[in-house]
Amino acid sequence: MQIQWYPGHMTKALRQIQEDLKLIDLVIELADARIPVSSRNPDIKKLTNGKSHLLILNKADLADPKITAEWQEKLKAEGVLSLALDSRQKKAAKEVSNAVLEATKEKRERDLRRGIKNRPVRALIVGIPNIGKSTLINSLAGRKSAKTGNKPGVTKGKQWIHIGKHLDLLDTPGILWPKFEDEAVGESLAFVGAISDDVVQQEELAILMYHMLPKLVPGRIGEFYEIPEDLEDRVVLSALAKSRNLLKAGAEPDEARAARLLIDDYRSGRLGRITLEGISCPS
């Protein structure tokens, strides 16, 4: 399934990030714990190379905890400081604050040697659309400082947010990259909602998900919807609709609603904590 989505504002935002790098001490990058590879923008990775870096595997409450732990071990071995969390939780703020201190230890020690005390850490927070940046910022600030939403593209411009006396955060819009060389990357981003649903054929996406999930969690689809897991494409959505009594006039199965249901059940975690990318994926 060929998926591409790169609104014009993303080019402008990438240029702005490049300009802002000279202002900051730390890059806080958010990725989705369910797709730790596909949710990392290679352009941002390249741009911020050489800066102190903290990788947050957000939405960890929706991912398989065992696989998330394996990813963190792999990242640690590669020299990447990572933190797995659910940015909506109250404890997220303390965990991130501690990780920021660890990531900027050398910078703060250098400041002390120069006689600079209590200068706030200036951090740039980056990631793909709908990754939870604004939710995390609000959790850190203890107030509604950034707009949030469950669809990509809520944050549009640059925002500085002061987190107490010790951290200044520069928020940025969610940014993808111009072309997904691997079809699977675009599909994974669409599965978790990082790509606008308006540009993705939902029925086709749902059928792809129906075939993918049994490979990762055998029996889950069958148990949850009480349908076979080896149906042909042409009858998948009809079977799903009938299993949930999603019917149109004339008792016809509503395949569009069935597609939406399957996608939402995955994204919300109702289908369980399912990670789409294991550590065999190149990071």
Side-chain angles (χ1 to χ4, degrees), residues 14 55 65 93 118-119 150-151 161 222 236 252 262 265:
L14 194 64
L55 177 64
N118 301 321
R119 187 170 76 88
N150 62 354
K151 61 182 181 179
I161 297 101
V236 167
E252 286 293 312
L262 176 57
D265 282 345

Side-chain angles (χ1 to χ4, degrees), residues 61-234:
D61 56 308
L62 300 174
D64 183 315
K66 181 175 180 293
I67 299 176
T68 299
E70 291 172 352
W71 269 112
Q72 287 196 273
E73 283 298 316
K74 182 177 182 182
L75 289 164
K76 185 178 179 180
E78 294 171 354
V80 178
L81 177 62
S82 71
L83 178 65
L85 54 75
D86 170 6
S87 59
R88 299 169 301 176
Q89 295 289 320
K90 287 184 179 179
K91 64 178 182 179
K94 185 173 182 180
E95 291 178 3
V96 172
S97 295
N98 290 339
V100 166
L101 289 176
E102 183 180 349
T104 58
K105 184 180 177 182
E106 288 184 10
K107 176 260 175 195
R108 289 181 294 105
E109 289 175 349
R110 194 164 57 246
D111 280 353
L112 281 175
R113 288 196 298 270
R114 294 172 178 170
I116 302 170
K117 296 180 180 179
N118 301 321
R119 187 170 76 88
V121 170
R122 294 166 299 187
L124 183 72
I125 186 163
V126 296
I128 61 171
N130 201 27
I131 196 64
K133 290 187 287 84
S134 298
T135 300
L136 178 61
I137 288 169
N138 292 337
S139 177
L140 287 167
R143 61 187 187 278
K144 195 168 184 180
S145 302
K147 293 180 182 179
T148 63
N150 62 354
K151 61 182 181 179
V154 173
T155 304
K156 294 294 186 184
K158 183 169 72 170
Q159 302 180 71
W160 275 105
I161 297 101
H162 303 289
I163 311 294
K165 296 179 180 178
H166 305 297
L167 179 62
D168 289 342
L169 277 180
L170 180 55
D171 191 15
T172 59
I175 305 173
L176 293 172
W177 51 109
K179 186 177 181 182
F180 309 133
E181 299 294 343
D182 185 346
E183 274 187 34
V185 170
E187 291 166 4
S188 292
L189 291 167
F191 286 147
V192 301
I195 291 175
S196 173
D197 288 334
D198 295 337
V199 301
V200 179
Q201 220 290 333
Q202 297 293 288
E203 287 89 343
E204 189 177 346
L205 187 67
I207 291 170
L208 282 171
M209 182 170 284
Y210 165 84
H211 290 303
M212 172 183 281
L213 293 182
K215 298 172 185 174
L216 301 169
V217 283
R220 188 71 54 84
I221 290 279
E223 292 168 10
F224 195 80
Y225 297 108
E226 297 182 338
I227 62 172
E229 294 191 335
D230 58 354
L231 296 172
E232 294 181 10
D233 289 1
R234 61 187 175 82

